[in-house]
Structures are given as structure tokens and as C-alpha cells.
Amino acid sequence: TRTALTLDGGTLAATFAGNVTAGQGTFINTAAGVTTGLSIQNNSFGANNRTALDFYTANTKYAVIEGGYGASEPEMNFKVGNAPAEILSLKASGSTFAGDVTANGDIIIDNSSGDPFLKLKTNAQEYVTRIDQSDSEKFQIRDVTNSATRLTIDSSGNVGIGITDPDKKLHIVDSSAGAVTYPLRLQN
């Protein structure tokens, strides 16, 4: 004999063994000031051991919230679609989005202990836009692939191309080796 439902009168907790189906209008309700939640527990531990909460409409799975221990760290994954595909993965080491990300409001990148930055990356090239806290809070566009700062704007509004310490409103330096070059071209 197997017990499918255990009720604890002291804690008002219910423990289910097996699948649980909630009908239309099912909700969790508590008194004001009482913390409540839905716990889904997997008693196994190890790499790639996760627990999922699936969302269905007319017997078709449209969304999954999956949490647990991934290959090497705790993670939470969100999946949506007819054949739910991962759109967001949250991990201690960083988060991953799959697809477009749209914000209806400000996107704030705040890092008071280091350089806040936005990374743009393909298979061949990587750039970051950042505020360099170690260099007078200058705004920079950095070519990570080639280890070069391509553009700098300092606090007085001076713009440097090819130089990180511009001393004019527009300061261009071409440090290419070889013949004399003309780093600025004006064309009509």
C-alpha cells in the first residue's frame, strides 16, 4: 500500500506522492502577513537533477519553469512555446537569454564595485561599452577581440578615437606602423 496524500494538522502542510492536478480556480490563500508558497521537491541530488512546473492549456504544454542543480551549479530555466524552448536561464555564474529582449522602460546596469558594461559578441568579434572606473569614469567602446579601446569620452566631453586621454573636443590618433596615414577624412 502506498500513501498518496499526507496531511499535517500542526503545520497545515500536505504531502503528495505522485502527480497532483489542480482544477480551474485552484489557488493558495493565507492570512495577511503569512508567507506561503508552493514547494516542489526532488529528493535526489547531483548534476542535471532538476524539478519542473509545467503549464498546460487544452492538454498542450505551453510553459515550463524548471529549477534545480545543472551540470555544475544551481540554475533556474524558463521555457515557452508549443514545444517549450528555453528563453531564459538564470545561474549563479550569469544569466542567458535566447531570442529578443524588449524593455518598456529603462535598462539599468549598475556595478559599483567594477566597470558596468554591455557586451556585444559574435563568433568572430567582441565589443563592450563600459564606464571605466579605474580611469576617471570615462565612457569607452572597447574592442575585446583585439585588446584595444576604440572610443573614449571623458567627463569634460572630449572624444578620443584611438586614444584614451583626449585633450581636445575631437582627438584622433592612428598608431598604425608604417607610412604616414591620414586618420580623418572629410568628403563632400
Side-chain angles (χ1 to χ4, degrees):
T1 306
R2 185 172 179 192
T3 303
L5 171 64
T6 304
L7 299 174
D8 183 332
T11 63
L12 300 179
T15 303
F16 297 89
N19 294 331
V20 177
T21 302
Q24 182 177 0
T26 302
F27 59 93
I28 298 171
N29 191 11
T30 61
V34 176
T35 302
T36 187
L38 175 63
S39 295
I40 303 173
Q41 183 174 343
N42 183 340
N43 289 323
S44 299
F45 186 78
N48 297 312
N49 202 339
R50 299 178 183 93
T51 301
L53 177 60
D54 298 340
F55 297 86
Y56 287 84
T57 300
N59 294 323
T60 301
K61 187 188 303 186
Y62 282 101
V64 177
I65 300 174
E66 180 183 80
Y69 202 83
S72 62
E73 63 184 327
E75 62 183 41
M76 175 74 74
N77 300 309
F78 297 87
K79 302 175 181 183
V80 296
N82 289 341
E86 188 173 290
I87 59 165
L88 172 62
S89 179
L90 304 175
K91 300 178 182 178
S93 61
S95 301
T96 304
F97 295 93
D100 296 338
V101 177
T102 302
N104 295 323
D106 296 339
I107 296 176
I108 299 170
I109 301 172
D110 186 353
N111 187 351
S112 56
S113 62
D115 295 340
F117 67 91
L118 176 65
K119 183 184 292 188
L120 305 171
K121 183 177 179 180
T122 67
N123 289 335
Q125 188 68 41
E126 181 177 338
Y127 285 94
V128 296
T129 58
R130 70 178 184 181
I131 297 173
D132 190 350
Q133 292 189 31
S134 65
D135 191 9
S136 303
E137 305 288 325
K138 293 176 183 169
F139 174 78
Q140 297 177 330
I141 297 177
R142 182 152 175 78
D143 178 347
V144 176
T145 305
N146 295 300
S147 300
T149 300
R150 301 297 186 192
L151 180 107
T152 299
I153 302 174
D154 68 16
S155 60
S156 62
N158 291 338
V159 176
I161 298 175
I163 185 168
T164 58
D165 293 314
D167 60 6
K168 301 288 182 214
K169 286 299 175 191
L170 179 59
H171 190 160
I172 302 173
V173 173
D174 184 356
S175 57
S176 301
V180 175
T181 61
Y182 300 98
L184 179 64
R185 179 177 181 179
L186 303 175
Q187 183 175 348
N188 186 352

